[in-house]
Amino acid sequence: MKKFLKYLLILVIILFIIGLIFLFRPIASKPVKSASDEKVLDVVLIGGGIMSATLGTYLNELEPNWNIRMYERLDAVAEESSKGLNNAGTGHSGFMEMNYTPEKDGKIDIKKAIDTASQFEVSKEFWSYQVKNGVLGQPKSFINPVPHIAFVWGDSVPYMKKRHEAMTQNPMFEGMKYSENPEEIKQWAPLVMQGRDASQKVAATRMDVGSDVNYGSITSQLINNLTKQAQFKLETSTEVTGISRNDDNTWTVSVKNLKTNTTSHVKSKFVFIGAGGAAIRLLQMTGLEETKQYAGFPIGGIFLMTDNPKVTAMHTAKVYGKPELGAPPMSVPHIDTRYIDGKKYALFGPFATYSNKFLKHGSQFDLMDSTNKNNVIPMATIGLENLDLVKYLISQVAMTKEDQFNELKKYYPEAKIEDWTLNQGGQRVQIIKKVPGKDATLQFGTEIFASKDGSVTALLGASPGASTSPYIMLSLMEKAFPEQVKGKWNGKLHEIVRSYGQDLSANPALLDQVRTYTSSTLGLNYTPTRHAANDSTAVVPAVANAK
């Protein structure tokens, strides 16, 4: 026995030493020697998703002579989280997402809903401009009118009524309908109400200006347009293996072609990391002090999906319920209409899944590769401080298809299990971040990273993500290129985003003008409000009327 304990102790010591060596390993890329006369690119975009596509489109329109290079590790763009069925396709506007409107001390806090609604208006303005200029094709190829409905039952009905009363005080939610009448709600969402217990109290709100968005289609169309520009080059099947700073403050980005196994590098003045969950590990390669505060926690999602015409014909809506205790925002239950490449689907979920991968097409070593001496303690701390989330994830992973189907029946009482198949969505990586006064905090939204000099930027986190990508990339440019945004780019930005720099939630007449314009251009359902087009509160820059 003593001999066994001796060997066990030796093994533990060896493993401890190996662990320390692993945690203290170098994580920053080694400098790359390059010729002094080597060509320097203006921009490198890492990742072929909607964020890189949107930023690349902005920069191409603002600086058409800039040399831009995009790298994507898969064989085609828009194959990760941006892909049509790798996400729920919600045009997040705060209309139905009840996790955006928590009740605090008896009052409904609608700030996040207002912010999200305002940001999605920027998205619609950006996409409308691209449609008008032939960059995006027919709107139905990427966006379709689908009402947004928030739905509750039982003890949650009083909350829904208070939520509606609070939200309709703000212009962003003018026109929101409220009902506790089962027959009226049945007209809004027949699939949700048919077969439901008649004695069950229900309540719902509805916004007709809601939408379903195919972010994969937007991404592909934007990048397809970029590839037609002489100064832009896309390289697929190419993985970024290093990012290092040069003496002249440019960056060397090292890459490997995954088909030929050849390696190369480029120098660039500016680097954007739009690689989804992989962004954290890529940021660590830079060696920047600011990146040491980050770690990531991967959460996947799986949906029940059907394309049975008898089912999809009964449901043209996105219906969101209330999240369960401990559920992350991306796991709010909802039953959605989806339009992908002209075909109609219904999706329900998501159900959380766990994988060490940071990307759907990633590696099970992703989590381990991103762990180091700077973030191991914050990661452990978050695990201990969020036991509700841990329990929730365990319960979700343990669910059988029958369990998942029983959850579906709460939103579709007459569902038949043979109509539904499982569809694995994209992988999301939630941000673990060191903050002053705390070891760490777990963040569920999106966050823009920008180095002190603005030469390296990245997007981290998850929802609302893709739906507000034009707003997010506009905010990123304000951090990375503050002088250009305020100066030479300002007029063009107001042309692309007519409401740029203004608070739509405080300007109902301008909001009405913007929604009328974008809904007409994108084919969405919107009835102009009572605010006159020439209302004096509608302050629109003169340049906004261009194009």
Side-chain angles (χ1 to χ4, degrees):
M1 186 67 179
K2 289 183 179 180
K3 196 172 185 181
F4 170 76
L5 291 175
K6 177 182 176 182
Y7 286 129
L8 180 62
L9 179 61
I10 292 172
L11 178 62
V12 169
I13 292 172
I14 291 172
L15 290 175
F16 179 73
I17 293 172
I18 291 173
L20 287 177
I21 293 172
F22 173 76
L23 290 174
F24 281 81
R25 75 195 186 284
I27 56 175
S29 301
K30 294 180 179 179
V32 176
K33 292 183 178 181
S34 56
S36 58
D37 60 347
E38 187 172 331
K39 180 181 177 180
V40 179
L41 301 174
D42 295 291
V43 176
V44 164
L45 305 171
I46 302 175
I50 194 164
M51 295 299 171
S52 290
T54 301
L55 180 58
T57 299
Y58 268 127
L59 293 176
N60 179 67
E61 290 169 348
L62 296 166
E63 294 287 353
N65 293 321
W66 276 12
N67 285 291
I68 302 176
R69 187 74 52 88
M70 178 184 287
Y71 293 111
E72 167 55 50
R73 63 188 290 273
L74 299 180
D75 294 341
V77 300
E79 288 295 311
E80 275 287 344
S81 294
S82 300
K83 188 175 182 177
L85 288 175
N86 282 354
N87 57 75
T90 301
H92 284 290
S93 300
F95 299 153
M96 58 187 174
E97 300 90 338
M98 285 175 275
N99 55 309
Y100 292 177
T101 53
E103 186 171 7
K104 299 177 181 178
D105 300 322
K107 294 182 179 180
I108 307 297
D109 181 359
I110 66 170
K111 184 182 184 305
K112 185 171 182 179
I114 293 171
D115 291 344
T116 304
S118 299
Q119 292 168 15
F120 190 64
E121 293 302 326
V122 172
S123 295
K124 291 188 290 184
E125 290 180 76
F126 176 84
W127 297 331
S128 294
Y129 180 86
Q130 304 309 329
V131 169
K132 292 283 189 182
N133 286 274
V135 174
L136 290 174
Q138 289 295 320
K140 281 192 175 295
S141 68
F142 66 89
I143 190 167
N144 285 273
V146 174
H148 284 193
I149 296 173
F151 177 74
V152 298
W153 58 83
D155 294 340
S156 295
V157 170
Y159 160 82
M160 181 67 87
K161 188 169 185 178
K162 284 198 289 186
R163 179 180 185 270
H164 176 259
E165 290 171 352
M167 295 185 80
T168 50
Q169 298 300 308
N170 190 281
M172 301 302 300
F173 311 106
E174 186 165 352
M176 178 181 282
K177 301 171 185 174
Y178 175 81
S179 181
E180 295 180 17
N181 184 333
E183 288 303 314
E184 183 174 25
I185 299 173
K186 186 176 180 180
Q187 293 177 6
W188 296 353
L191 179 148
V192 172
M193 294 302 295
Q194 286 185 10
R196 188 169 293 277
D197 184 348
S199 66
Q200 186 181 59
K201 290 189 66 177
V202 293
T205 60
R206 170 180 170 129
M207 282 288 284
D208 289 330
V209 75
S211 59
D212 173 72
V213 186
N214 184 340
Y215 297 108
S217 179
I218 292 176
T219 302
S220 296
Q221 291 185 52
L222 292 180
I223 295 177
N224 181 60
N225 178 73
L226 286 171
T227 59
K228 297 174 184 177
Q229 315 307 314
Q231 307 299 323
F232 179 88
K233 184 178 180 182
L234 167 67
E235 293 190 28
T236 56
S237 304
T238 303
E239 185 169 33
V240 172
T241 57
I243 308 171
S244 58
R245 189 191 283 275
N246 302 311
D247 292 338
D248 60 358
N249 287 326
T250 61
W251 291 89
T252 293
V253 179
S254 302
V255 299
K256 179 181 181 180
N257 185 298
L258 299 178
K259 290 189 172 180
T260 64
N261 285 325
T262 55
T263 59
S264 60
H265 70 266
V266 294
K267 292 176 69 175
S268 181
K269 300 173 186 175
F270 173 77
V271 177
F272 170 66
I273 303 172
I280 288 177
R281 179 66 191 102
L282 289 165
L283 267 180
Q284 292 172 342
M285 291 180 181
T286 67
L288 290 168
E289 186 67 26
E290 308 98 285
T291 67
K292 294 179 180 179
Q293 62 184 320
Y294 291 107
F297 181 76
I299 299 177
I302 197 167
F303 291 88
L304 286 168
M305 179 178 73
T306 182
D307 60 359
N308 184 332
K310 292 182 179 179
V311 177
T312 60
M314 294 171 59
H315 191 64
T316 303
K318 288 184 177 290
V319 180
Y320 271 51
K322 286 194 75 175
E324 294 184 20
L325 178 66
M330 63 171 288
S331 296
V332 173
H334 47 97
I335 186 163
D336 289 358
T337 293
R338 295 299 327 272
Y339 292 99
I340 305 294
D341 300 328
K343 188 173 182 179
K344 190 177 184 183
Y345 298 84
L347 264 68
F348 176 77
F351 301 98
T353 60
Y354 183 77
S355 167
N356 291 327
K357 294 180 180 181
F358 277 10
L359 295 167
K360 184 175 181 178
H361 300 284
S363 164
Q364 290 292 352
F365 293 103
D366 286 344
L367 178 60
M368 186 172 70
D369 285 345
S370 73
T371 306
N372 56 69
K373 62 182 173 56
N374 299 312
N375 59 26
V376 64
I377 292 177
M379 291 171 71
T381 301
I382 288 300
L384 294 173
E385 290 181 352
N386 291 269
L387 293 180
D388 282 345
L389 175 59
V390 173
K391 291 176 183 177
Y392 170 79
L393 289 174
I394 292 172
S395 69
Q396 288 275 292
V397 171
M399 291 180 80
T400 64
K401 185 178 179 181
E402 185 177 353
D403 294 330
Q404 295 165 338
F405 180 69
N406 288 334
E407 290 299 309
L408 167 63
K409 293 191 75 172
K410 295 177 182 178
Y411 290 85
Y412 179 15
E414 296 185 343
K416 297 178 180 178
I417 195 167
E418 60 266 24
D419 289 334
W420 298 80
T421 58
L422 289 171
N423 176 66
Q424 181 66 51
Q427 194 78 347
R428 308 290 189 269
V429 176
Q430 313 300 333
I431 307 165
I432 297 174
K433 181 181 177 182
K434 292 181 184 177
V435 293
K438 290 187 70 176
D439 288 330
T441 181
L442 180 63
Q443 300 178 189
F444 288 109
T446 49
E447 177 166 318
I448 296 169
F449 171 88
S451 60
K452 291 178 181 178
D453 64 355
S455 62
V456 171
T457 59
L459 186 74
L460 307 172
S463 181
S467 61
T468 57
S469 50
Y471 171 84
I472 293 170
M473 292 299 99
L474 196 50
S475 301
L476 183 142
M477 289 190 295
E478 290 172 348
K479 290 176 177 284
F481 307 103
E483 293 182 8
Q484 292 96 321
V485 168
K486 292 176 182 177
K488 60 183 286 192
W489 293 357
N490 199 262
K492 186 68 174 180
L493 288 173
H494 278 96
E495 186 180 321
I496 298 170
V497 179
R498 297 184 175 192
S499 67
Y500 179 51
Q502 299 196 62
D503 181 1
L504 289 176
S505 69
N507 195 333
L510 178 57
L511 172 62
D512 189 33
Q513 289 182 20
V514 167
R515 280 186 174 167
T516 299
Y517 157 65
T518 58
S519 297
S520 172
T521 304
L522 300 176
L524 303 179
N525 296 326
Y526 176 67
T527 302
T529 68
R530 64 182 179 274
H531 305 293
N534 61 355
D535 191 311
S536 60
T537 62
V539 182
V540 186
V543 71
N545 294 320
K547 295 192 179 182

